Amino acid sequence: MHNKLDRMKQEYESIPIPDELNQMVNRTIASRRTKIKAMPWLASAAAACILLFVSVNASPAFAKTLSEVPVLGQIVKVITIREYTEQNEKTDVHLKTPGIAGTGDPELEQSLNTKYLEENKKLYEGFKDKVAQLEKAGGGHLALESGYEVVTDTDRLLTLSRYVVESAGSSAESRNYDTIDKVNHIVITLPSLFSDDRYIQVISDNIKEQMRQQMKDDPSKVYWVHQPGIEPDIPEDDLFHNIAKDQNFYINRDGKLVISFDEYDVAPGSMGVVEFTIPTEAIQNLLISNKYVQ
C-alpha cells in the first residue's frame, strides 16, 4: 500500500501546471480565505485536473483517507473538488461537485471531473435565472442543493450518483448516475449492456408489472401507469409507457440492473425518486454478457 501511495503521489506531482492555471488556483484559494461570495468556474479539462491536484496534495484529511481505500491496481477515490454556499433572505444554495481520482486513466478522470464541474455551473446559472424571474413576479424564496454519493463500489464497478434538489414551496429531486468499469477504465452506458434495442420494451414491460403489483400490495403507492379495466385519472400522454434509450440506471452490489426515475417522472412527488430492480432472467437473452449484470 505504501509503495502504491508513493507512486500515485509522484504521478500527481509530475503533472505540469501552466502558469495561467497556477495563477487561477492561487486566486481560488485566496478568494476562499477572504470569504468573497463568488463562483469562479473552471471551464477546461486541464483546470479540473489542477483542482484535483490541489485537493490531493494540499489536504491532509484526503491523504489520510487514501490509506483506507481498497486497492485494485490503482486507488480509486471520490472527492469534493468544488463546494459553494450562498444564503440570504431570497436564496439558499449549497452545491458540491464530485471528482474522481486514481483510476489509472487521467483522460477518463479529466473528462468526468470536467463534466461534473460543468453540470453544477449550468445548474447554478439556471438557478440565478429563476431567481431573477421570481423577483420580477413579486419575489419569493428558492433553494438549490446538489451533492453526490457512491451507490456501488466493488472490485470492478464504481457507481457515482449526483443528486439535485430544487425547492420553491415544494421540492423536486433528480439524479444522474455514472457507472465506471475500474478495470477497463470505461463508463458503462445502458445500450452498451445489450445486443439491440429490444431491451427498451422488455424492461418497460417489467417495470409496469412491478408498478401494478406494488400498488396492489400497498394502496398508499401510486404510479402513473395504465391498469387494465381502470380508467386513468390523468391524461394518457402523462402515463408511463417506455423507458428512454439512455434511461438513468446503475448496477448494484449484487450485479442487478436498477432503473431510476426522477421525482414526478412516473409518480406523484410524494413517492420521491423511484427505482426498480430488473430481474436478470427477464433480460438474460438480451444481454451481451454477464460481466456486469448477473
Side-chain angles (χ1 to χ4, degrees):
M1 171 67 80
H2 180 73
N3 290 336
K4 292 180 181 296
L5 291 177
D6 286 343
R7 286 200 300 271
M8 182 178 179
K9 182 174 182 292
Q10 290 172 3
E11 288 175 6
Y12 277 106
E13 289 178 342
S14 66
I15 298 174
I17 307 178
D19 292 340
E20 61 273 19
L21 289 179
N22 197 25
Q23 293 169 7
M24 184 181 295
V25 171
N26 289 335
R27 287 198 300 270
T28 301
I29 294 172
S31 68
R32 289 181 177 176
R33 287 176 178 170
T34 55
K35 299 182 179 179
I36 296 174
K37 292 293 185 179
M39 199 167 192
W41 291 97
L42 304 182
S44 70
C49 185
I50 296 305
L51 272 180
L52 194 56
F53 173 86
V54 171
S55 297
V56 169
N57 291 281
S59 171
F62 174 66
K64 178 178 181 298
T65 62
L66 289 178
S67 64
E68 303 169 355
V69 183
V71 174
L72 181 67
Q74 295 284 337
I75 297 172
V76 179
K77 188 65 179 177
V78 180
I79 60 175
T80 299
I81 58 175
R82 168 71 71 186
E83 187 166 4
Y84 176 76
T85 300
E86 173 185 301
Q87 191 170 24
N88 54 50
E89 66 279 2
K90 296 179 180 179
T91 62
D92 190 352
V93 181
H94 186 198
L95 307 180
K96 291 179 68 174
T97 305
I100 295 177
T103 64
D105 188 331
E107 290 185 5
L108 174 63
E109 292 171 14
Q110 289 182 22
S111 174
L112 289 171
N113 295 341
T114 299
K115 181 178 77 167
Y116 301 149
L117 285 164
E118 291 176 346
E119 280 180 351
N120 270 358
K121 176 186 177 183
K122 183 178 180 180
L123 187 64
Y124 181 76
E125 290 173 345
F127 177 77
K128 299 304 285 187
D129 288 342
K130 291 178 182 178
V131 171
Q133 293 172 8
L134 189 62
E135 288 178 348
K136 289 181 180 179
H141 187 273
L142 295 178
L144 175 66
E145 178 184 3
S146 75
Y148 63 90
E149 61 179 330
V150 175
V151 296
T152 301
D153 191 2
T154 66
D155 285 347
R156 175 174 286 276
L157 298 178
L158 174 74
T159 297
L160 178 64
S161 169
R162 286 103 59 218
Y163 62 83
V164 176
V165 180
E166 297 185 73
S167 303
S170 60
S171 64
E173 180 178 355
S174 60
R175 286 181 175 261
N176 284 295
Y177 303 84
D178 281 325
T179 296
I180 302 165
D181 181 336
K182 298 179 184 178
V183 178
N184 295 311
H185 305 155
I186 59 172
V187 177
I188 302 167
T189 66
L190 189 60
S192 72
L193 297 172
F194 298 97
S195 56
D196 55 52
D197 288 349
R198 287 178 297 162
Y199 73 89
I200 297 173
Q201 192 62 54
V202 171
I203 291 176
S204 299
D205 290 344
N206 185 270
I207 289 174
K208 292 174 191 175
E209 292 177 8
Q210 292 192 47
M211 288 177 170
R212 295 175 185 129
Q213 188 62 50
Q214 287 185 30
M215 289 190 291
K216 181 179 178 181
D217 295 340
D218 184 353
S220 68
K221 291 188 174 182
V222 177
Y223 292 107
W224 296 327
V225 63
H226 178 71
Q227 300 184 70
I230 300 178
E231 187 70 23
D233 55 4
I234 64 171
E236 180 72 21
D237 289 345
D238 292 336
L239 295 177
F240 169 66
H241 295 287
N242 294 295
I243 64 169
K245 183 175 182 178
D246 57 350
Q247 183 71 41
N248 261 330
F249 82 99
Y250 64 91
I251 300 168
N252 66 22
R253 288 189 59 85
D254 298 323
K256 304 302 179 184
L257 178 65
V258 181
I259 299 295
S260 175
F261 295 93
D262 292 341
E263 199 168 346
Y264 294 102
D265 273 359
V266 297
S270 58
M271 294 284 288
V273 172
V274 294
E275 299 179 344
F276 298 90
T277 301
I278 309 302
T280 302
E281 56 268 25
I283 53 176
Q284 181 61 63
N285 65 332
L286 302 177
L287 291 168
I288 292 177
S289 74
N290 290 109
K291 178 164 52 175
Y292 303 124
V293 179
Q294 301 167 0

